[in-house]
Amino acid sequence: MTDTFLLGWEEWLALPELDLPAIKAKVDTGARTSSLHAFAIEPAGTPDRPRVRFSVHPVPGRDDVAVTCEADVIDRREIASSNGEREMRYVIRSNVSMGVRTWPIEITLANRESMAYRMLLGRQAILDDMFVDPAASFRQPKLSYRVYRGAAQPRETAEQRALAIWLLTSRPDNATSRRLVRAAERRGHAVTMIDRTRVSLYIDARDPGLFLDGRPLLKPDAVIVRAGRSLNAFSLAIVRQAQGMGAYAPNPADALAKAGEPLALRQTLAMAGVPVPDAAVSHADLLREKRSDSHVLADALGQLASGPLLRFAVIGGRALAVIERPSATALEDSPAWRRSEIDGEALTTARGLAERAARAVGLGLAAVDVAPTRAGPMVADITASMSLAEFERLTGAALIEAVIVRLEQETQARLRV
């Protein structure tokens, strides 16, 4: 028995790899896996190397003392809690130190806010040469919560927290897509390209999931859609799934659906009081010469137009840049875009109209076309997948950086709720 490592039913331990130098744990041989109290649990890393970020209140009753931790994810398991409820938990591996011993253990992350012990040491963590004395406490040296004085601030604030961003696009080499990835990575975020043809969904009320090439993806913080007019029902389902997993979408699925249907878009704007060209559209109009509803509506605009078409880049409800072209119609053969020279009251009015239109549809990232007409400025079109790279080339505005900053701001606001 001289070589036996003795444990009491409660012990002090340290998790040095998680920056937790003192934790009071309950030693529970009735539990298979060890568990650590954690809150604000968020995925991090990449699909190839999934990680999890979380915070810990190591001192019971002291919510002002918090430590932010990050670790590799080795598994996600359905665990039964003490009250019999089952939930999916992240599983990590970390070294535990107790007395003169240090050894690796598996730990599940769970909210133990109501528990007296911030950690539970399960029987998997108890090695063959260890013996638990259920009648004794602290058979190993005691530690102290004093180690957290002045040193328990999170390693990174919400503003600095790395985000897991999904970029839904079929054109990953597109200039805007490439610049979005570079801008996000410069600010410390991880971007996963999502091609809808490689995706499958798992629809479940308690634990929705999304799989890329058969591998589960961790919950994203945000999802950006770059699918243009080709956005189909399954792409919308992917966005809706990401939202159901808690992601922020500057362009939610319902708003994208409206923006992708010209008639629905025009009706939404008109019902919100946003000026649009009057148009009479019948089923026969759409069938005649197989013309699309967008062409029929463009004809209505062409009859009223009296000047160049203005296109505004609207990000987070603000029109941050504007370009123009001579033709006020939105058809394919129109002249190239150029930097707009319009200013003064006309620009202010058109900018306000573009911002109103984006809000009415529910788009936080959009290009809004505003046309001067004999009846005043009107919204001609909205696209949810604008060419940010072209806007930047023509205007010099740092729009792509603004998109990433907006994601950071919205995510930070959600963490405070």
Side-chain angles (χ1 to χ4, degrees):
M1 295 293 291
T2 56
D3 295 329
T4 300
F5 191 78
L6 296 177
L7 303 177
W9 68 270
E10 58 178 341
E11 290 290 348
W12 284 92
L13 57 82
L15 300 170
E17 295 174 333
L18 301 179
D19 287 351
L20 295 168
I23 293 281
K24 190 185 291 186
K26 178 182 178 181
V27 180
D28 187 355
T29 56
R32 182 172 182 269
T33 309
S34 300
S35 178
L36 175 67
H37 157 66
F39 67 99
I41 302 172
E42 295 285 346
T46 65
D48 294 331
R49 189 191 174 190
R51 292 176 64 80
V52 64
R53 185 182 301 106
F54 55 95
S55 295
V56 176
H57 292 313
V59 185
R62 290 287 305 275
D63 289 351
D64 59 318
V65 179
V67 177
T68 299
C69 312
E70 189 169 318
D72 289 334
V73 175
I74 64 170
D75 197 4
R76 286 192 73 191
R77 297 176 192 158
E78 189 176 49
I79 304 292
S81 62
S82 57
N83 60 9
E85 293 185 358
R86 306 190 70 84
E87 61 178 350
M88 292 297 293
R89 296 181 187 174
Y90 287 104
V91 184
I92 65 172
R93 182 178 287 111
S94 181
N95 281 334
V96 59
S97 295
M98 190 184 302
V100 297
R101 298 284 294 270
T102 297
W103 68 101
I105 65 172
E106 291 186 1
I107 304 171
T108 66
L109 303 179
N111 193 320
R112 299 176 55 85
E113 196 72 46
S114 61
M115 303 296 182
Y117 295 89
R118 289 303 189 241
M119 184 164 176
L120 183 146
L121 196 71
R123 63 178 179 271
Q124 271 191 337
I126 301 171
L127 304 182
D128 292 341
D129 65 341
M130 296 180 178
F131 178 78
V132 179
D133 182 355
S137 298
F138 308 119
R139 296 299 299 265
Q140 296 301 316
K142 293 184 179 181
L143 304 176
S144 172
Y145 291 133
R146 287 193 296 270
V147 293
Y148 293 108
R149 286 184 180 175
Q153 299 303 313
R155 291 197 298 256
E156 54 184 5
T157 63
E159 293 89 345
Q160 300 168 322
R161 192 177 70 81
L163 303 180
I165 301 172
W166 288 357
L167 182 58
L168 178 61
T169 178
S170 58
R171 300 174 61 195
D173 294 329
N174 171 272
T176 295
S177 297
R178 286 188 282 106
R179 292 189 188 184
L180 278 167
V181 172
R182 287 200 298 268
E185 290 179 345
R186 279 198 305 269
R187 299 179 70 90
H189 309 308
V191 180
T192 301
M193 294 285 192
I194 304 292
D195 180 347
R196 71 188 181 202
T197 64
R198 299 163 53 197
V199 166
S200 56
L201 308 178
Y202 180 68
I203 301 172
D204 181 88
R206 295 179 301 169
D207 189 35
L210 186 144
F211 297 79
L212 185 65
D213 294 333
R215 293 187 303 171
L217 288 171
L218 295 178
K219 181 178 78 67
D221 294 297
V223 56
I224 302 174
V225 180
R226 300 280 309 157
R229 298 289 191 191
S230 65
L231 197 67
N232 63 10
F234 191 69
S235 297
L236 293 175
I238 294 173
V239 179
R240 199 174 294 112
Q241 189 86 345
Q243 292 178 255
M245 296 167 70
Y248 163 66
N251 290 339
D254 290 346
L256 289 169
K258 293 177 186 176
E261 295 289 340
L263 284 175
L265 175 62
R266 193 67 60 91
Q267 290 171 317
T268 299
L269 294 173
M271 288 186 287
V274 176
V276 294
D278 296 338
V281 183
S282 69
H283 187 253
D285 291 327
L286 303 181
L287 291 177
R288 189 181 301 118
E289 299 176 4
K290 297 182 179 179
R291 301 170 77 227
S292 70
D293 45 5
S294 61
H295 284 74
V296 172
L297 295 172
D299 285 351
L301 172 63
Q303 296 168 9
L304 293 173
S306 62
L309 183 71
L310 301 179
R311 173 166 287 183
F312 291 89
V314 181
I315 298 173
R318 296 179 57 208
L320 301 183
V322 58
I323 55 180
E324 70 174 47
R325 68 182 179 195
S327 172
T329 60
L331 301 181
E332 291 82 353
D333 297 330
S334 300
W337 293 95
R338 66 192 182 195
R339 185 188 183 103
S340 178
E341 302 297 332
I342 295 178
D343 57 12
E345 184 177 350
L347 179 61
T348 301
T349 301
R351 175 180 283 113
L353 185 57
E355 293 173 349
R356 283 178 56 200
R359 286 196 300 270
V361 180
L363 295 173
L365 177 59
V368 182
D369 293 347
V370 177
T373 73
R374 293 187 295 274
M378 295 185 178
V379 172
D381 195 16
I382 298 180
T383 176
S385 188
M386 59 179 161
S387 176
L388 289 165
E390 182 180 34
F391 264 102
E392 291 194 333
R393 178 178 62 83
L394 294 175
T395 68
L399 300 179
I400 290 174
E401 189 84 4
V403 170
I404 304 302
V405 170
R406 183 66 181 176
L407 298 186
E408 293 170 347
Q409 292 170 340
E410 287 293 332
T411 304
Q412 176 191 351
R414 286 169 173 242
L415 288 175
R416 290 198 298 261
V417 174

